Structures are given as structure tokens and as C-alpha cells.
Amino acid sequence: MKKIALIALLALLFTNCKKSNQDEELKPIEKPAAVSAVKKTEAKVDQKEEQDCKDIAVEMGDGKECILKNTDLEKVYQNIIKNKEVEESSYFLSAIPSENKSVEVNQNGLMSIDYEITKDKVAISMNYEGGVTEVTLEKIKDTIKKSIYHYAD
């Protein structure tokens, strides 16, 4: 009786192990991961080719300037919102206004956002209780110069 129970237990254990191996063989985990990693790497390379950035040191703050090729002001503006390149960019207007505008926010320390619109240039000032963040988008020929500066009070 013990021999039969032992044989049944071993058979059950063997089939269970075999079944698990078959399930693992059916899952193509490695191939999609490798493909998506390649796509992400290619996306990073493409992004680096299109924008040339440098950090800027300013008094009482810091900044970053980027030159973006083959794009326009609206696309760069939308990417700032989408990629959250600036804190509280979710409070930005959904599109660049056609004239100067000030928007009262009064949330998360952000008091207001001021838009200054000129030909081929958009200047956005985010006024905080403890400082100012300035975003400037300027069209220069077929490129866009994006500047983001953070100043403390």
C-alpha cells in the first residue's frame, strides 16, 4: 500500500513539474521585453538628435536651455505639459493664448501664471509664494529655443 501511495505521489509530482514547464514554455516573456527595450532606446536616441540642451547657472536659481529642431511652438508647449517638464504644468492653459493673459491658480503654492505673447516668442511666468519659474519658447528660423529658469525669492 505504501509503495502504491509513493508511486502515485511521485507520478503526481512528476506531472505537476512537467505541466509547469509547459506553461512556462508557452509564455513568450523574453522576446517582447527585448523588443520594447530596443524601442525605448531608439526613442531616446531620436529625442537626443532633435534637442540639444545645456544647464545654465543663474543667480539665486538654475535653468536649462534647449534647442529643438523640426518642431513648432505649440508642439513644444504641449510636450512641456505632457512630459511635466515643469512642476504644476497641469495648470497651464490647454493651448498657447493668442494675446497676453494672466491666470489665477492659488493651488500648491502656485499663485498665478502669466503669459506674454509676442511674434515668434512665448514667455510664461509661474509665480509661486517662494519664487518664480520662467518658461520661454522662442522661434528662431526653423528651430525652437526652450528656456526654463527657476528663481528663488
Side-chain angles (χ1 to χ4, degrees):
M1 188 70 159
K2 287 183 181 180
K3 288 182 182 179
I4 295 173
L6 184 59
I7 292 171
L9 184 60
L10 287 173
L12 183 61
L13 183 62
F14 178 75
T15 57
N16 224 3
C17 289
K18 186 69 173 172
K19 184 178 180 184
S20 294
N21 286 340
Q22 287 174 347
D23 289 344
E24 289 179 274
E25 290 173 3
L26 294 175
K27 295 179 184 175
I29 293 174
E30 293 177 15
K31 289 183 181 179
V35 170
S36 63
V38 169
K39 287 181 182 176
K40 287 180 183 176
T41 304
E42 288 173 1
K44 288 180 183 177
V45 170
D46 291 343
Q47 189 176 16
K48 286 181 182 177
E49 290 174 356
E50 291 182 14
Q51 75 177 341
D52 179 28
C53 297
K54 61 183 177 180
D55 292 327
I56 306 293
V58 293
E59 190 175 329
M60 299 291 289
D62 62 359
K64 188 174 192 174
E65 289 182 354
C66 298
I67 302 296
L68 299 119
K69 299 177 182 174
N70 303 322
T71 189
D72 60 32
L73 289 172
E74 189 64 40
K75 285 181 185 175
V76 174
Y77 180 79
Q78 293 303 324
N79 281 335
I80 291 172
I81 298 169
K82 178 182 169 186
N83 299 330
K84 298 180 182 177
E85 295 179 32
V86 179
E87 287 184 35
E88 279 82 36
S89 62
S90 59
Y91 296 112
F92 279 12
L93 295 173
S94 60
I96 298 172
S98 57
E99 57 186 30
N100 295 348
K101 188 168 190 161
S102 183
V103 178
E104 294 296 320
V105 177
N106 294 319
Q107 295 199 12
N108 297 332
L110 178 61
M111 297 183 307
S112 65
I113 301 174
D114 299 324
Y115 293 85
E116 185 179 322
I117 311 299
T118 57
K119 185 178 188 263
D120 297 331
K121 186 174 181 180
V122 177
I124 305 165
S125 295
M126 301 174 73
N127 302 303
Y128 290 91
E129 293 173 355
V132 175
T133 297
E134 291 180 352
V135 178
T136 306
L137 306 176
E138 185 175 6
K139 183 175 180 171
I140 304 169
K141 295 183 182 177
D142 61 342
T143 62
I144 303 294
K145 178 181 177 184
K146 174 179 69 175
S147 306
I148 301 174
Y149 294 102
H150 305 281
Y151 300 101
D153 273 348

